[in-house]
Amino acid sequence: MLSKILVPVDGSENSLRALEHALFIAKSTGAQITAMHVIEHPPTVYVESQKLLNDLLSNYRKESTKILDKCKEMAQKSGVNLETIIAEGDAASNITGYAKQGGFDLVVIGSRGLGRLKEMVLGSTSNKVLHNTKCSVLVVK
Ligand SMILES: Nc1ncnc2c1ncn2[C@@H]1O[C@H](COP(=O)(O)OP(=O)(O)O)[C@@H](O)[C@H]1O
Ligand SMILES: [Mg+2]
């Protein structure tokens, strides 16, 4: 019933807490976990030149690898096998699309992430994923 879990991570404490929950579930169910990071492209109006955009993206890609390395380390400590995937573009639509395409049974996501405005219970990514994903979603606070 629960064989594939997708955990979207942006590197925030909240997303790593979501991963801890997923690892806990995986240990008792034997489910396979995939940690996914989406590199979000900055709005083009803010980027003055192609070079600046390329530099930004190259930094984001390095950061993305670091985030997923941290996830692998956490999984290793828990004795759980973890796969990773990096996508680029809109976070919510990539997460929702990958959950469907990969036949995941559960998405475990943080309620908030790296955004600075914390008044709302959900961030825009977790909100969209909760609304648009067909499988079950566990929102970790
Ligand atoms: N770029 C991303 N790639 C993968 N997961 C993400 C990304 N951005 C957000 N998430 C997931 O969504 C959760 C909520 O983040 P988000 O909705 O963006 O809130 P905030 O507005 O506080 O940043 C995070 O804890 C993480 O699990
Ligand atoms: Mg965010």
Side-chain angles (χ1 to χ4, degrees):
M1 191 189 160
L2 197 58
S3 63
K4 290 183 80 178
I5 306 175
L6 182 63
V7 186
V9 284
D10 59 359
S12 65
E13 231 176 81
N14 208 166
S15 70
L16 297 179
R17 203 152 56 236
L19 178 61
E20 287 290 5
H21 279 69
L23 290 170
F24 180 77
I25 296 169
K27 270 198 272 186
S28 54
T29 59
Q32 168 69 49
I33 302 184
T34 302
M36 176 180 205
H37 179 65
V38 185
I39 298 171
E40 293 179 279
H41 288 200
T44 39
V45 280
Y46 295 128
V47 181
E48 290 161 31
S49 70
Q50 191 61 40
K51 164 145 188 356
L52 194 62
L53 178 63
N54 289 342
D55 288 351
L56 260 177
L57 287 179
S58 132
N59 280 335
Y60 284 173
R61 287 181 188 121
K62 277 184 212 146
E63 191 55 35
S64 181
T65 309
K66 272 194 212 157
I67 293 169
L68 293 174
D69 281 349
K70 166 90 187 150
C71 294
K72 284 182 203 157
E73 196 186 300
M74 286 167 63
Q76 212 166 19
K77 276 190 190 145
S78 296
V80 172
N81 186 39
L82 180 111
E83 284 179 11
T84 59
I85 175 142
I86 297 175
E88 288 192 24
D90 178 67
S93 51
N94 270 284
I95 294 163
T96 301
Y98 193 70
K100 187 176 179 194
Q101 178 202 321
F104 285 86
D105 311 296
L106 177 68
V107 176
V108 182
I109 193 166
S111 57
R112 298 302 313 248
L114 293 171
R116 268 178 287 170
L117 298 166
K118 298 285 181 200
E119 300 80 61
M120 313 285 273
V121 175
L122 294 173
S124 68
T125 309
S126 49
N127 186 41
K128 284 184 207 156
V129 168
L130 193 53
H131 277 93
N132 301 329
T133 302
K134 297 278 175 273
C135 69
S136 298
V137 178
L138 171 59
V139 179
V140 175
K141 289 194 176 181

